[in-house]
Amino acid sequence: MMTRLKHFYRQHVVAVTLLFFLIVSIAMVAIVYLQPNKILSGADYHFHMNRVENLALSIKHGDFFPKISYFFIGGMGYAASLFYPDAFLYLPAILRVLGLSIKESFVIFAIFINLSTFLVTYGSGKLAGFTRKKAVIFALLYGLSIYRFADLVNRQAIGEVIALTFFPLVIVMMTRLKAGKHQYWYLLAVGMVAIGYSHMISVEMTGIFIVIYTLLNLKMLYKNGSFKYLIAAGGLSLGLLAQYFLAVGEQMATTTFQVSSQPLAFLSDRTLAFKEVVRNSLTNAVFHANTVNVGITILLGLGLACYLFWRSKNDRDLIAIALGLFIMVTPLMPWQLFDHTIINTIQFPWRFFAIITAIVSYLIAKDDLQLLNNKYYFYAIILMLGVGNVIYATNSIQNQSWRFRTNAQYNQPNPYYIGAGHEYLPAQTDYQKILKHKKQVIQYQPDKVKITNVRHTWGQYQFEFTTLKHQKAVVEVPFIYYKGYVANINHEKRLIPMQMNPQNGLTQITLKGSGQMTVFYQQTPLQKVGHVISVVSLISLMMIIYKAQSNKKLY
């Protein structure tokens, strides 16, 4: 019987591996998300479910690549799709368009994210030269890690969870370049771009890792000719992300947002005591801002890495980075020096646990001490991961029962929830005032202008106006201001840029005469430039891949 099973496995290794990861992916979410008539809601679920709902509604309205999210704030619009890329949200959005509920769409999406993480990490392991068993261990260590599980279950920080899918790929590609293995160098760009279109804070953190790793291995990268490939991957990444970077940069350069004027958090206030991190990791403590941890498996692996530092010369750089990042989570790091810099956008130093988890998972799976040759050690890791996740999920249910929502509650999105920090509202916008006066109307002075036939549709206001006594009049349209709003008067080809009301951050225009006006958002010239650069970069990437595959066939 065992011989037949082994033969079947060898004959269908890809299908069996895929099925195994799918079963584990479903099991991970079953305990917390498949409760009868209820679901555990995370801290960020409102915001990310609103993003999905907005994308679904945008698709229904024929806007397949929205910049402004008009589902938010009762139609006033919030630039969620501009500042938080929607690239990976099309799956749940399309499921919503097809009629599935928010819960059903999210559960399927969560399973898909889990499966993608296992497969990308497994593939990264194979790129690293791991055996099939080591690649599986790599995937399980990372995919079932407590930090990632907490991100998915307790925080439901969907953007960050998606980004975590690609951390192992970036780490493995950097080790390949260090070793002088230039084949598939473009996958480093693919990993960075995938992270970028998931969660930009994660790009910032991954960039820090790459810079540190490069500096530690600069001589080696020059010597083996890898540095030029690293630069090429960086340039390709920037090109592919140009449509995002240029769009966001333009907004930040022309408008002061609350993310700058009223930061949600300062790095120096969000550190964790070293002793507490160790204690909480040893017990796989349920996520809270003060109990976030890496879990017992990764902590023990980090301890093993300390031992490896004296045994393995090849990975001392990765070990040093992992230990350094672990220390950076604590008050030993002088984060106050960065509180008022762009680095502060990371918000929480413990986000670096994601990179630590990926590095330690890689080091354990690489197995320089050859511990995996012992089947008991192999099964002990599997058992520790499986039991650890079951216990963690059970504790989450027991300790955070207040997070449960009925299906009806979960399926009812709240369009006025735009995230705790309201980061991308103009600094002048008083959101509490908006919440108190949700019925938004066009504002104007009746003694200066007459407004009639007002129509508000998805992403658009249309009305007729006549200024009185031939004087100028200011008309305020209840859209949150972002650069790109324009007005079309009397269906002329020329579009007039809207202005921001400096008192409340809404959109306004100065009118004179009479006519019919339509207000809407359109891509700015710089956004169009960014789009062209990204398309050209995508074509370049496809040509690079095609050329690489063609050369491979010649040998």
Side-chain angles (χ1 to χ4, degrees):
M1 183 65 178
M2 288 299 297
T3 303
R4 287 184 178 180
L5 287 175
K6 288 181 180 179
H7 180 71
F8 178 84
Y9 175 69
R10 291 194 184 102
Q11 290 287 97
H12 304 89
V13 60
V14 174
V16 171
T17 303
L18 181 62
L19 179 61
F20 170 69
F21 285 141
L22 177 60
I23 292 172
V24 177
S25 299
I26 295 172
M28 282 184 71
V29 303
I31 298 176
V32 289
Y33 289 152
L34 299 181
Q35 297 278 336
N37 197 37
K38 63 180 180 179
I39 182 172
L40 190 71
S41 65
D44 293 342
Y45 93 95
H46 265 312
F47 176 62
H48 292 295
M49 293 307 99
N50 284 348
R51 290 177 62 204
V52 171
E53 194 70 4
N54 176 78
L55 185 55
L57 290 171
S58 294
I59 292 172
K60 287 182 178 180
H61 284 90
D63 185 2
F64 296 96
F65 305 101
K67 294 293 184 184
I68 307 299
S69 305
Y70 291 106
F71 173 72
F72 285 86
I73 323 180
M76 295 181 70
Y78 184 59
S81 292
L82 197 154
F83 288 99
Y84 302 89
D86 289 335
F88 292 96
L89 297 186
Y90 281 88
L91 172 59
I94 291 172
L95 293 175
R96 286 289 293 135
V97 172
L98 294 175
L100 273 68
S101 69
I102 291 178
K103 176 183 176 179
E104 292 165 342
S105 301
F106 175 70
V107 170
I108 293 173
F109 188 40
I111 293 170
F112 176 78
I113 294 172
N114 286 338
L115 180 60
S116 299
T117 301
F118 287 126
L119 293 178
V120 170
T121 309
Y122 177 84
S124 299
K126 297 299 288 182
L127 278 171
F130 291 175
T131 63
R132 190 175 297 118
K133 182 170 73 171
K134 288 183 177 181
V136 168
I137 283 292
F138 186 22
L140 292 176
L141 279 166
Y142 185 69
L144 294 173
S145 64
I146 291 299
Y147 179 79
R148 184 184 169 277
F149 195 51
D151 245 12
L152 177 67
V153 173
N154 304 102
R155 294 183 66 205
Q156 283 187 16
I158 300 304
E160 186 171 331
V161 173
I162 298 170
L164 296 187
T165 302
F166 305 98
F167 279 20
L169 178 59
V170 171
I171 288 170
V172 167
M173 290 311 300
M174 290 301 295
T175 62
R176 283 177 59 88
L177 288 177
K178 174 190 171 183
K181 298 177 181 178
H182 307 144
Q183 190 180 23
Y184 309 123
W185 63 269
Y186 50 83
L187 289 179
L188 176 59
V190 171
M192 286 299 291
V193 171
I195 293 171
Y197 283 117
S198 306
H199 187 239
M200 286 311 300
I201 293 176
S202 294
V203 165
E204 195 174 344
M205 295 192 303
T206 312
I208 291 173
F209 162 77
I210 290 175
V211 168
I212 296 173
Y213 191 85
T214 300
L215 291 175
L216 291 175
N217 295 286
L218 195 57
K219 184 177 180 180
M220 179 70 73
L221 291 169
Y222 269 117
K223 185 177 179 181
N224 61 26
S226 293
F227 191 74
K228 63 181 179 182
Y229 290 99
L230 181 60
I231 296 299
L236 191 56
S237 299
L238 289 174
L240 288 163
L241 288 167
Q243 64 178 356
Y244 174 83
F245 283 136
L246 291 181
V248 170
E250 180 181 35
Q251 297 294 330
M252 298 293 284
T254 55
T255 306
T256 301
F257 294 101
Q258 295 188 14
V259 68
S260 300
S261 62
Q262 304 173 39
L264 175 64
F266 287 111
L267 286 164
S268 59
D269 296 329
R270 302 294 178 146
T271 56
L272 302 169
F274 183 87
K275 181 173 66 175
E276 295 298 319
V277 173
V278 171
R279 182 166 61 189
N280 290 325
S281 297
L282 288 172
T283 59
N284 284 353
V286 174
F287 174 85
H288 186 272
N290 297 321
T291 61
V292 59
N293 63 88
V294 294
I296 185 172
T297 307
I298 299 301
L299 182 67
L300 294 178
L302 189 59
L304 183 63
C306 293
Y307 174 73
L308 277 173
F309 188 86
W310 307 107
R311 291 284 302 270
S312 174
K313 292 183 179 180
N314 289 334
D315 295 315
R316 284 181 176 176
D317 43 17
L318 285 177
I319 297 168
I321 291 173
L323 290 172
L325 292 178
F326 195 83
I327 292 171
M328 284 170 62
V329 173
T330 73
L332 294 174
M333 174 69 181
W335 282 116
Q336 60 272 13
L337 299 177
F338 302 93
D339 280 346
H340 298 283
T341 69
I342 193 172
I343 301 295
N344 192 65
T345 54
I346 294 173
Q347 297 176 323
F348 313 112
W350 42 259
R351 289 187 194 270
F352 285 108
F353 281 157
I355 296 178
I356 294 171
T357 298
I359 291 174
V360 173
S361 298
Y362 169 83
L363 292 172
I364 295 175
K366 188 178 180 184
D367 192 31
D368 282 345
L369 296 178
Q370 298 184 347
L371 297 175
L372 289 176
N373 292 337
N374 185 321
K375 64 180 181 180
Y376 296 108
Y377 179 77
F378 176 82
Y379 291 130
I381 292 178
I382 302 296
L383 183 64
M384 186 180 295
L385 289 170
V387 172
N389 275 265
V390 170
I391 293 175
Y392 185 90
T394 304
N395 288 339
S396 293
I397 292 172
Q398 293 175 347
N399 298 343
Q400 297 189 340
S401 58
W402 54 274
R403 285 196 181 277
F404 272 105
R405 302 287 186 273
T406 65
N407 288 351
Q409 290 172 328
Y410 195 85
N411 288 329
Q412 185 62 47
N414 178 1
Y416 288 92
Y417 192 93
I418 61 173
H422 310 153
E423 286 97 334
Y424 297 110
L425 287 178
Q428 299 89 338
T429 304
D430 185 345
Y431 196 56
Q432 294 306 312
K433 185 176 180 180
I434 289 176
L435 293 178
K436 291 178 182 178
H437 306 283
K438 293 181 179 179
K439 186 177 180 180
Q440 299 297 324
V441 295
I442 293 177
Q443 299 288 340
Y444 57 94
Q445 292 178 287
D447 61 333
K448 290 186 177 182
V449 62
K450 182 180 180 181
I451 302 293
T452 57
N453 298 326
V454 177
R455 285 185 293 172
H456 178 205
T457 55
W458 183 265
Q460 180 176 288
Y461 268 97
Q462 191 175 72
F463 57 88
E464 295 176 1
F465 69 92
T466 301
T467 58
L468 306 178
K469 300 178 183 178
H470 302 289
Q471 58 185 329
K472 292 182 179 180
V474 175
V475 176
E476 178 188 279
V477 179
F479 282 140
I480 302 295
Y481 177 81
Y482 299 98
K483 186 175 178 61
Y485 271 110
V486 294
N488 178 267
I489 299 178
N490 296 329
H491 306 290
E492 294 181 0
K493 290 184 178 180
R494 187 172 67 92
L495 300 176
I496 303 172
M498 301 290 285
Q499 304 298 319
M500 183 179 72
N501 184 330
Q503 304 302 316
N504 58 19
L506 298 184
T507 303
Q508 67 179 27
I509 188 171
T510 302
L511 298 173
K512 184 177 182 180
S514 62
Q516 185 185 70
M517 187 168 84
T518 304
V519 179
F520 58 95
Y521 188 89
Q522 72 164 15
Q523 277 193 327
T524 68
L526 190 59
Q527 288 175 11
K528 293 176 182 178
V529 169
H531 183 73
V532 170
I533 293 174
S534 292
V535 170
V536 171
S537 299
L538 179 60
I539 294 172
S540 300
L541 173 61
M542 295 170 67
M543 292 175 63
I544 290 168
I545 295 174
Y546 176 77
K547 184 178 179 180
Q549 293 302 314
S550 298
N551 291 339
K552 187 177 178 182
K553 291 177 182 178
L554 294 175
Y555 295 98

